[in-house]
Amino acid sequence: MTTSISAEQEWLDEAVRIAETNVANGGGPFGALIVKDGEIVSTGVNRVTANLDPTAHAEVVAIRAACQALGTFKLDGCVLVSSCEPCPMCLSSALWARVDKVLFAADRDDAAKAGFDDRAFYELFDRPRDTWTVPVTRLSAKDGFAPFAAWLDKSDRTDY
């Protein structure tokens, strides 16, 4: 995938513009878009408070819309463009979607200045789990592998 720097800059400017518009409309200061073959396939803005959904970040909204528009759960050949560095959830979503590239304008330090401290999550993942304030613990289950065994036995599964 080869794109010009001017095209990427235009996409980035659009992501920033839709983020600013979202603020004017009462939403959060984040905007994102998905581009495929040089065309914007979808856009997304932060909908966390509007939807009462902590996962409705701009990037996730744009990824969901692009998958629907393209009829696939794999966004290979696509670029995620965001007004701000994706948080760990959004970055993971982009990786799961298999985008080819992620571009962003503001970074995690800029977000922190505005009261969105994504750095805390990045830092949390760097620490051992036993130091986290929210316990994340594995428990043994009698048949914990059973769902995976069923999956592996399913001949018509869709791998992802």
Side-chain angles (χ1 to χ4, degrees), residues 43 55 74 82 93 98 103 116 124 126 135 142 157 159:
T43 63
T55 69
K74 292 183 180 178
S82 181
S93 297
R98 310 293 198 263
L103 303 171
F116 298 90
L124 176 70
D126 283 338
K142 181 180 175 197
R157 69 180 179 263
D159 290 325

Side-chain angles (χ1 to χ4, degrees), residues 139-150:
L139 296 177
S140 292
K142 181 180 175 197
D143 293 323
F145 191 77
F148 294 113

